[in-house]
Amino acid sequence: MNKPADIMATTQHSGKVGTNYPLSSPVIIGLFSIFDTLAIAIAGFIAYKIVIGNPFYMRDIYYFAMIFAFTSFFFIGRYAGLYTFSALMSPGMHLIRIAGAVLTIFLLLMALGFSISISEEYSRVWLYSYFLITVASLFTVRLTGFGIIYFFAKKGVFSRNIVIFGAGEQTKRLVTLLNDSRRAPLNRIVGIFDDRKTRGSTEIEGLEVQGNLKDMMKFCRQNNVDDVIVALPWNADERQSHLVSKLRELPAHVHLVSDLVGFRFPNKPSPDHFGNLPMIEVVDSPLSDWSVMGKWLEDRILSTLLILIFGPVLLCVALAIKLESRGPVLFKQKRYGYNNHVFEIYKFRSMYHNGEVPKKTVQATKDDPRITRVGKFIRRTSLDELPQLFNVFLGSMSLVGPRPHAVDHNEEYSALIDGYFARHRMKPGITGWAQVNGLRGETDTLEKMESRVEYDSYYCEHWSLFFDLKILVMTAFVGFLNKNAY
């Protein structure tokens, strides 16, 4: 029951891989830390209710004991190995460790109470009851949490979608280990690819080898892929270098599972959810684990506040546009966003509307006759970008990120600039690192676009909430008035 082999769904999926909410070992450990703390606190209230009376009238000394208990468990539980991925995925085998850790905490609590001469003020029956209820509560949390993960992992909701590149002996061993590794219940293989398909196996453990590197890149951009594992022989170093440089464009973790690569690439140990598999991580996803939640909260909270703050401005600009010229207030355009997915961006209309949809996007230039008087003002002050706050609120954009380009511009520059698509590893933003460094407005030369891509790639590689805050502050001072915006 504690380590079921069938929780690992390693079947290959045809068509588009559905939306999932992948859990990594740091996220699972963090969630259990929170629930364990709540369980220990609730156990204290239950014990007080049973032994003494209404917990609303609990004396401060009992609160101190409860705080000491869950604070101590945070450290002792880790020392006892209760917050490793394998321990959380096998609660039945760690019941004795849980009881031992809790017993240690209560012995420390009694020793502390005796040393400061307050042990007589505690109800010993409450203390013993608290110990037993805490052990039962923690074990219940572990079993319930495992059951929930097991249930949703079987349905593919919490699973990490894995793509393997390589169809040789390394991949055969890897697939076998993934199927046998009971420390990796959340992993499922959704595709195997190899650019030398004719030399390797066409089928591995019932999984068909689907295509080459180009096919894999397309598959990863059309589906939710969390991890890419490169399984090539040790003497394929140059081939691996080429692969890693291409895979940096994807919003996924990239791992190598072959010999001697640790001397070539900076690395860190393989995540716990892969068990003891011999691999190293060479490319980290910009957003993973708890950072995904941090970025999501940042966008939702700040976009809501900014919509409320700029509400009157939005209404005034919309009215001015409507009074000056005929046509819709909003301009909508298809652009490439996160992982090259096309979305519709919102802007205030700044040009005269003739009802025609241009076949090719033509960037605005100085003294462009297409731009209205209101349009010239809102473009120069960046007020035309304000409707993108609704893009952020709805989830297609972020407050901070690489600026999205028109679809035809994307296709044009991606053919000219190596690593161009790396800027799509994160959601596009209203403002970005390139913009606050002066790279705004018309990109009339290839060098200007290369500089913008360089700044965008740097942002994706070094993202943090503090970095976002820095860009937002810089935008407030230098980002609104733009002499290059025509």
Side-chain angles (χ1 to χ4, degrees), residues 193-427:
F193 298 82
D194 196 319
D195 55 5
R196 301 179 184 183
K197 186 176 177 180
T198 56
R199 301 186 190 181
S201 303
T202 58
E203 184 178 291
I204 296 176
E205 297 291 328
L207 306 176
E208 180 185 355
V209 180
Q210 300 182 37
N212 57 22
L213 175 61
K214 184 178 179 180
D215 297 323
M216 186 183 74
M217 298 292 287
K218 182 179 179 181
F219 179 88
C220 291
R221 287 179 176 133
Q222 292 177 345
N223 296 277
N224 299 303
V225 174
D226 305 296
D227 299 280
V228 178
I229 301 177
V230 179
L232 296 177
W234 66 270
N235 58 354
D237 280 0
E238 293 304 321
R239 191 176 169 202
Q240 287 177 346
S241 297
H242 172 69
L243 280 170
V244 170
S245 66
K246 295 295 293 182
L247 294 175
R248 287 187 184 277
E249 300 180 8
L250 298 175
H253 299 269
V254 179
H255 313 269
L256 300 185
V257 58
S258 56
D259 300 324
L260 304 181
V261 295
F263 297 99
R264 191 176 182 93
F265 300 102
N267 64 84
K268 59 183 180 180
S270 178
D272 286 346
H273 48 260
F274 284 133
N276 292 318
L277 299 183
M279 66 174 70
I280 58 174
E281 183 176 340
V282 293
V283 178
D284 194 7
S285 177
L287 292 176
S288 59
D289 304 332
W290 290 105
S291 61
V292 177
M293 180 62 69
K295 184 73 166 173
W296 186 90
L297 289 173
E298 172 196 328
D299 286 336
R300 292 306 185 278
I301 294 172
L302 292 182
S303 64
T304 301
L305 292 175
L306 290 172
I307 288 172
L308 295 174
I309 293 171
F310 287 103
V313 179
L314 288 164
L315 292 175
C316 290
V317 174
L319 181 61
I321 293 171
K322 201 66 179 175
L323 291 175
E324 183 186 22
S325 61
R326 298 171 57 185
V329 170
L330 290 180
F331 168 74
K332 301 177 183 180
Q333 187 182 53
K334 300 291 185 182
R335 297 199 178 183
Y336 279 112
Y338 175 73
N339 204 16
N340 288 30
H341 293 169
V342 177
F343 74 102
E344 197 169 56
I345 194 172
Y346 305 139
K347 299 180 72 173
F348 277 128
R349 179 175 60 85
S350 59
M351 296 184 178
Y352 291 102
H353 179 72
N354 56 15
E356 296 181 2
V357 179
K359 295 181 179 180
K360 183 178 180 180
T361 303
V362 180
Q363 289 186 340
T365 57
K366 190 175 183 179
D367 300 323
D368 197 318
R370 299 174 298 165
I371 300 177
T372 65
R373 288 177 298 173
V374 172
K376 185 176 182 179
F377 174 75
I378 63 176
R379 290 173 75 92
R380 181 64 58 89
T381 57
S382 299
L383 292 175
D384 62 324
E385 311 284 359
L386 282 181
Q388 289 162 40
L389 290 171
F390 293 99
N391 282 113
V392 177
F393 182 78
L394 295 173
S396 58
M397 289 182 65
S398 180
L399 282 175
V400 181
R403 285 294 297 162
H405 299 151
V407 171
D408 50 351
H409 288 170
N410 231 50
E411 294 171 350
E412 175 187 352
Y413 287 117
S414 64
L416 300 173
I417 302 174
D418 289 337
Y420 178 86
F421 285 123
R423 64 195 306 276
H424 294 300
R425 297 175 70 200
M426 298 188 72
K427 286 183 181 180

Side-chain angles (χ1 to χ4, degrees), residues 442-455:
E442 184 183 10
T443 50
D444 51 354
T445 66
L446 182 61
E447 288 74 19
K448 287 183 180 180
M449 182 58 76
E450 286 176 336
S451 296
R452 183 178 289 187
V453 170
E454 183 179 347
Y455 275 94

Side-chain angles (χ1 to χ4, degrees), residues 118-139:
I118 60 172
S119 58
E120 295 298 327
E121 299 184 36
Y122 283 108
S123 165
R124 286 175 172 73
V125 178
W126 173 82
L127 196 62
Y128 301 147
S129 301
Y130 188 17
F131 165 73
L132 294 174
I133 295 174
T134 297
V135 172
S137 298
L138 288 173
F139 189 57

